[in-house]
Amino acid sequence: MHKVYTYYFRKCLGLIALVLCLTSTAYAIELNSPSPDFSLRSNDGINLRLGEQRGQVVMINFWASWCGPCRQEMPLLDAMYQQFKPLGFTVLGVNVEQDTKPAKNMLKSTPVTFPILFDDQNLVSQLYQVQAMPTTILVDRDGNMRYLHKGYKPGYEVKYEEQVRKLLRE
């Protein structure tokens, strides 16, 4: 009798796993589609809304203080922000940690000039189905997601810059 229950239990788990996989792909973030709108509190204490950035090329960078590649990438993103900001480019750094203290401490040693937003309830990172740190999304002037990057390795910033230049020319 125990073997029968074990058999059906395993079959049910397999079916549940299949349904979850199909469900998650049905709601997958798709490039060339509108970027989901969100509003988060910034490090300046004000709420910033993605929809208010319409007309600009926006880089959304999901990061965490414990993420080594995120720490490595932050100064490079800030340099890109400074270079392209006058042309209609902005970076929104979205910290995904529930406790914001480590992020705020990291920003003291690695300051950036672009807005840092705090997703301490992970609602926005879930909305964008963030599964890797860092995750970077480039949004065009019309609010459509055009490029997605998961993770960071030295040299990725060259590709980011090419893509930002292309979106700024559109």
Side-chain angles (χ1 to χ4, degrees):
M1 184 72 96
H2 177 68
K3 288 182 181 181
V4 171
Y5 287 120
T6 303
Y7 172 78
Y8 285 111
F9 180 74
R10 287 185 180 167
K11 288 291 186 187
C12 285
L13 282 179
L15 183 59
I16 290 169
L18 177 64
V19 168
L20 288 175
C21 286
L22 292 175
T23 302
S24 66
T25 56
Y27 296 105
I29 295 296
E30 292 184 30
L31 294 179
N32 299 313
S33 66
S35 184
D37 197 13
F38 62 86
S39 179
L40 289 171
R41 183 163 306 281
S42 74
N43 54 337
D44 292 334
I46 58 171
N47 286 342
L48 286 180
R49 187 171 160 247
L50 177 63
E52 294 170 347
Q53 308 304 315
R54 184 71 51 100
Q56 295 205 51
V57 172
V58 180
M59 174 182 279
I60 306 169
N61 178 260
F62 292 91
W63 65 280
S65 65
W66 48 261
C67 167
C70 299
R71 289 175 175 263
Q72 189 177 14
E73 181 182 53
M74 293 290 268
L76 303 170
L77 297 181
D78 196 50
M80 193 177 308
Y81 172 68
Q82 290 296 324
Q83 179 181 359
F84 295 113
K85 181 181 177 183
L87 302 175
F89 172 70
T90 193
V91 176
L92 300 178
V94 179
N95 179 266
V96 300
E97 297 168 274
Q98 292 179 347
D99 180 7
T100 61
K101 289 177 191 169
K104 290 176 181 178
N105 286 337
M106 187 195 108
L107 291 169
K108 289 177 186 173
S109 62
T110 310
V112 295
T113 56
F114 58 82
I116 298 295
L117 309 176
F118 297 103
D119 185 21
D120 56 358
Q121 295 180 11
N122 296 117
L123 298 176
V124 177
S125 58
Q126 288 176 11
L127 181 65
Y128 281 83
Q129 300 175 359
V130 173
Q131 298 174 353
M133 283 294 119
T135 292
T136 302
I137 299 167
L138 284 167
V139 179
D140 67 20
R141 293 179 191 271
D142 294 324
N144 296 310
M145 294 179 294
R146 298 285 294 279
Y147 299 100
L148 170 67
H149 300 274
K150 296 180 180 181
Y152 171 78
K153 291 182 183 174
Y156 279 20
E157 65 278 2
V158 174
K159 183 166 278 270
Y160 295 164
E161 187 172 328
E162 289 172 8
Q163 293 168 345
V164 167
R165 285 181 188 276
K166 179 179 178 190
L167 293 175
L168 286 171
R169 283 190 300 264
E170 292 180 358

